[in-house]
Amino acid sequence: RLATQAGERLVELRAKMWAAGAISWEVMDGGDMASHHFLTGELAGARPDDAVLSEEGVDDPRRFDVDRVWIIDPLDGTREFGEHGRLDWAVHVALWEGDRFAAGAVSLPALGRTFATDPAPVVPQFTHDRPRLVTSRSRPPHIAGIVARALDAEPVHLGSAGAKAMAIIMGDADIYVHAGGQYQWDSAAPAAVALAAGLFVSRIDGSPIVYNDPDVWLPDFVVCRPELAEQALAAIAAA
């Protein structure tokens, strides 16, 4: 619910700012902060005992003393949000409880779609000849090229991490490999939804991803159809 509502507000704000003649950086900054304040305000009112880890907020040390921590990226793909016509930006909301996800949602507001852990989305069957590997449109990591060659994968370029992971959920891609720079809020909600949908999710060394760690830096991430995981991880390990 919150991810969808935040996304609807962002769509409206973006249109109003463009109509008012705002320039790109104003649209990006306005979207980031408006969504952050909306989400944190709603969570503070509904779940005052929970902690929040947000890209746009100050790290709350209470997150190490409570069982429930909301990990949010109020606007993932800020660059794309600030470009006319781009659809590949998202809102991420995940709930980490103890040592696992309790809930998560990724909203793709420009598409009018939200993917959540309950009910879990159903991934379409693999019906094409070559797998499709989704990666950054502006900074594709070297490791993604290695995996693409190993799997003879067709490249797909998108912005937001949430948009990339949800491309697999929608059947528009089959594997997403990232290395070189992300934070917990970039991957938490996409990981929660992908796991609920039965996809493979790990670090690039194949180890499980752990959230609510003191270090918010979480630089690498793999999401893919389970049948591609072994080959993808082998290509990464051999690199």
Side-chain angles (χ1 to χ4, degrees), residues 75-165:
L75 175 52
D76 187 61
T78 306
R79 174 177 176 174
E80 286 71 29
F81 183 76
E83 296 180 21
H84 286 281
R86 297 297 309 192
L87 307 179
D88 47 342
W89 50 276
V91 176
H92 298 177
V93 178
L95 175 59
W96 184 259
E97 188 167 359
D99 61 355
R100 67 197 62 182
F101 288 114
V106 175
S107 173
L108 302 180
L111 298 179
R113 300 191 67 177
T114 298
F115 302 88
T117 52
D118 186 17
V122 177
V123 180
Q125 291 186 342
F126 186 95
T127 58
H128 37 279
D129 296 331
R130 298 170 61 197
R132 295 157 297 178
L133 185 145
V134 62
T135 188
S136 171
R137 59 182 283 250
S138 58
R139 299 180 301 278
H142 177 66
I143 199 70
I146 292 172
V147 174
R149 288 189 292 274
L151 274 64
D152 187 28
E154 177 184 353
V156 177
H157 299 287
L158 291 172
S160 156
K164 295 185 190 79

Side-chain angles (χ1 to χ4, degrees), residues 11-24 26-27 84:
V11 169
E12 182 178 352
L13 175 65
R14 189 191 198 198
K16 286 182 177 179
M17 293 189 75
W18 286 134
I23 59 177
S24 181
E26 292 174 323
V27 175
H84 286 281

